[in-house]
Amino acid sequence: MAETTRRFFPYESPYPNQGEAMDRIAAALGDGDDVLFEGAPGTGKTLSALVPALEHAREEDRTVVITTNVHQQMRQFVEEARAINDEEPLRAVVFKGKSSMCHIGVDYQECQTLRDTTRELVENEADKLELEQRQRELLDASREGDATAAEAREAVMEELEEVEERIGDTAEANVCEHYRNNLLGDNDEFYEWLYEGVRTPEEIYAYAEQRELCGYELLKEGMEAVDLVVCNYHHLLDPNIREQFFRWLDREPERVVTVFDEAHNIESAARDHASRSLTENSLENALPELESEDDSRADAAENVIGAFRDALVESYEESFAFGEREQVGEDWYDVPVSNENARDDLTLAFLQNYEGRGIQTEIELAVQLGEAIDEEYEEAYREGDATSRAESSTLAAARFLATWMEENAELGQHPMVSVRRDDATDELYGRAELYTCIPRRVTKDLFDDVYASVLMSATLRPFDVAADVLGLEDPVTMAYGLAYPAERRRTYSAGTPALFSSDRGDPEVQQRVSALVEDLVEFTPGNTLLYFPSYAEAERYYERVGGQTDGTLFLDGSDVETDPLRERFVESETAALFTSLWGTLAEGVSFDGDDARTVAVIGVPYPHLDDRLEAVQDAYDRVYGNRNRAGWRYAVEIPTIRKTRQAMGRVIRSPDDFGVRVLADKRYTREDMGRYSVRDSFPEEERDELIDMDPTKLKFGMLNFYTDMDAYEGDPPRP
């Protein structure tokens, strides 16, 4: 291991490849290069990236920001940072959003107003004290015969009167007492406590609550030039939040090194952050707001907002087939409105319904009026005339309309309409959305602006696709496979019938897959994890296998609380958990040791090709010229294989662990399936480990392996 990494890691690594990974990342950061780092369990990914990043930041006066979208990983980051801090002191903060740290339960906009009003009041009160002291000094001087003192005192008294008037104006204003205490107190004790260790947001909240302080604002003000920040994805992926975040750090972007964990999730997270939407309710709320306005711009705003509301309703109502309207429930139901060679149906209906002086002109007037209304709400809350900080529905609607008209025909932007049923009224209401198909619209600017980034995951390959999708220019790449003893695992590709969606109802296919699932459960000396293409398929085989095995069966679903389910599963001794590969139990959670011995992915679990996914596929085809089926590979196949690899990594989590991993579908085998084969989509070392197996003989392979591991208690099952 290079000497440069030893300040934060002065002991022998337990992982065989960790030293090499640290050295390579250190060299890349020294050159200002981005890094794509894939590491299987057993490579110590977090420390491999964090140690050289911290060392570089310490030497070059930079800050490391490490981020994830998985709560369990946040906790691991805190543990790793504390371990590092025990060896080499560092200033580290763990940052969460305001909503999770607010002591009085207000939203972001109200907090902003309260903070500004409170600061203004405290500053005015401080000015008053200073002016009162000054006028007393001048009064004493004038009494002693200083002629200029009397004239100066008059000016001070005028200023004092103005300050007292300002204080009087805010006497009934809404303020935050917690933040007021921040401003009035000596916070040195807090910062000494904060940097004695690595404090979690929960610990900071408890500390501040006990002392009636605002922990969120104290944390923000104490982030300047720290060594390390642990945070969620949205602090970096949202451009507006990122700008504020770097300002709190008192760092220009080029003074920041970012480290992304679970980096295979950046693509979908970036889409979520970049997509914008507006509900029918917001449009409805804007119209009465405008009716109460005595402003010449109100008619223009009503024209565009009313026409768009009518077009939205028309778009979803006219899309329903017979009986489809009644099937809409509480979840958003997408209604396709895009057209291949024309504007989308919503925009066409909007243009047809609109009657006014010009759409762009009236949208601009609506934005101006919305800003004026919002300022009125701000002032009312600031002055104490309102108990909560209202937000202008007109402003929200007008800004969305401006974006919609400007961007909805751009490459990578997909106009959408969705509808759902209001549980309280049983009425339908719609939502317009600009869905962002190409995440590099968000991520490229981030990666270009910061000094360097390390993206790490157990399933990041193929690297060229990751770099293309996220907008990374010529990154350094490195991959380390599973370093645990190969003799303590078996990985099989079982040639069950291909679970094409059109064949899933075939009784013969179901019978053969059911037989394999029964064998998996029967011949596993412990718990079995079973991942299916969907919750519906998981339920199908849960019902077919139920009563055919001696094990306890658990069924996951979209409406099931996963934490209690997982807890009951791991507490069992011979159980099987049926779930979807696209659920929350396929990544970000570990099933160590006896928690699960066998994991199987049943079928090639391609997601449902809905309108959104087809839009992403089409956008990639257009960007990359449909070379090598780029749209299908980038949008569907590669994300599916990454999810499959994530699921396979839920077991065998330590050198002493052992288990069996199964890919059940002949598309995983060496059998020639033409373009349907997915075996070559796996990394080479993982393909080499796959053992093709007749599904009816898989139980013998499992029996032999687990017998060699001395895993069965008592006599092993009989084939």
Side-chain angles (χ1 to χ4, degrees), residues 49-123:
L50 190 54
V51 167
L54 284 171
E55 185 66 31
H56 171 87
R58 179 68 61 87
E59 293 178 355
E60 301 295 335
D61 187 28
R62 291 191 167 93
T63 292
V64 177
V65 178
I66 187 167
T67 180
T68 184
N69 66 336
V70 178
H71 292 302
Q72 181 173 311
Q73 291 302 110
M74 287 279 284
R75 291 192 291 269
Q76 181 182 340
F77 290 164
V78 173
E79 292 172 4
E80 302 282 18
R82 285 173 172 168
I84 290 172
N85 189 55
D86 289 342
E87 301 295 335
E88 175 73 18
L90 76 160
R91 289 164 57 90
V93 296
V94 185
F95 200 78
K96 274 191 177 180
K98 194 206 76 66
S99 61
S100 63
M101 296 185 69
C102 183
H103 301 271
I104 58 175
V106 298
D107 63 23
Y108 180 79
Q109 199 65 47
E110 285 187 53
C111 175
Q112 294 286 94
T113 304
L114 283 173
R115 187 189 63 189
D116 294 345
T117 304
T118 304
R119 180 180 289 277
E120 181 181 345
L121 179 60
V122 169
E123 288 175 350

Side-chain angles (χ1 to χ4, degrees), residues 337-596:
V337 295
S338 62
N339 295 301
E340 187 172 352
N341 297 311
R343 298 296 290 269
D344 62 276
D345 292 342
L346 174 54
T347 301
L348 292 174
F350 178 37
L351 295 173
Q352 184 174 359
N353 291 339
Y354 170 75
E355 296 179 358
R357 293 175 293 170
I359 285 180
Q360 294 300 339
T361 298
E362 295 203 327
I363 288 176
E364 290 175 7
L365 292 172
V367 171
Q368 293 172 13
L369 179 56
E371 290 174 341
I373 294 171
D374 205 60
E375 288 174 5
E376 292 174 7
Y377 291 155
E378 171 86 11
E379 186 67 20
Y381 184 61
R382 185 192 299 272
E383 298 295 332
D385 296 331
T387 57
S388 62
R389 204 294 192 185
E391 295 186 42
S392 171
S393 296
T394 299
L395 181 58
R399 283 178 171 170
F400 178 82
L401 285 179
T403 301
W404 180 274
M405 296 304 294
E406 181 181 350
E407 298 183 9
N408 77 343
E410 291 183 3
L411 175 61
Q413 293 290 84
H414 185 66
M416 294 284 303
V417 168
S418 305
V419 64
R420 70 188 298 185
R421 191 173 300 279
D422 189 309
D423 187 43
T425 65
D426 202 42
E427 297 293 326
L428 299 188
Y429 67 97
R431 177 183 69 182
E433 179 183 0
L434 273 179
Y435 181 63
T436 298
C437 300
I438 301 178
R440 65 186 295 155
R441 286 175 62 101
V442 174
T443 56
K444 181 171 174 34
D445 286 346
L446 165 64
F447 295 132
D448 284 349
D449 289 347
V450 299
Y451 172 75
S453 297
V454 181
L455 280 61
M456 58 182 180
S457 168
T459 57
L460 205 49
R461 286 179 284 180
F463 290 134
D464 61 330
V465 173
D468 272 352
V469 167
L470 299 177
L472 293 166
E473 300 293 335
D474 196 24
V476 173
T477 62
M478 59 190 73
Y480 298 95
L482 196 60
Y484 300 144
E487 63 271 14
R488 299 185 68 81
R489 64 181 183 270
R490 291 291 183 274
T491 309
Y492 296 108
S493 44
T496 51
L499 274 184
F500 295 115
S501 57
S502 58
D503 295 335
R504 292 175 187 173
D506 187 321
E508 182 181 352
V509 170
Q510 292 179 16
Q511 189 279 326
R512 294 174 66 183
V513 173
S514 296
L516 175 74
V517 172
E518 290 171 20
D519 286 345
L520 290 170
V521 177
E522 185 71 21
F523 286 86
T524 297
N527 293 341
T528 306
L529 280 169
L530 299 162
Y531 293 100
F532 292 85
S534 66
Y535 286 122
E537 287 299 291
E539 184 175 8
R540 183 202 301 274
Y541 288 97
Y542 170 84
E543 292 175 350
R544 288 186 63 93
V545 173
Q548 303 301 311
T549 71
D550 295 331
T552 304
L553 306 186
F554 294 92
L555 177 64
D556 190 16
S558 59
D559 57 349
V560 174
E561 292 187 28
T562 54
D563 286 343
L565 175 67
R566 180 188 181 282
E567 187 174 335
R568 294 197 304 273
F569 171 68
V570 300
E571 288 175 352
S572 304
E573 293 184 356
T574 54
L577 174 59
F578 293 68
T579 187
S580 167
L581 185 85
W582 300 98
T584 58
L585 292 173
E587 63 175 279
V589 292
S590 299
F591 294 86
D592 302 334
D594 293 333
D595 290 352

Side-chain angles (χ1 to χ4, degrees), residues 669-706:
T669 69
R670 290 185 175 85
E671 183 175 340
D672 184 8
M673 294 290 293
R675 67 189 183 95
Y676 297 110
S677 177
V678 297
R679 189 184 185 99
D680 288 344
S681 296
F682 288 81
E684 182 179 2
E685 74 276 9
E686 294 179 16
R687 295 198 302 270
D688 291 344
E689 199 168 316
L690 278 173
I691 302 171
D692 280 5
M693 182 69 73
D694 183 323
T696 63
K697 297 179 180 178
L698 178 61
K699 57 188 173 185
F700 297 103
M702 294 177 64
L703 178 63
N704 292 337
F705 172 76
Y706 282 126

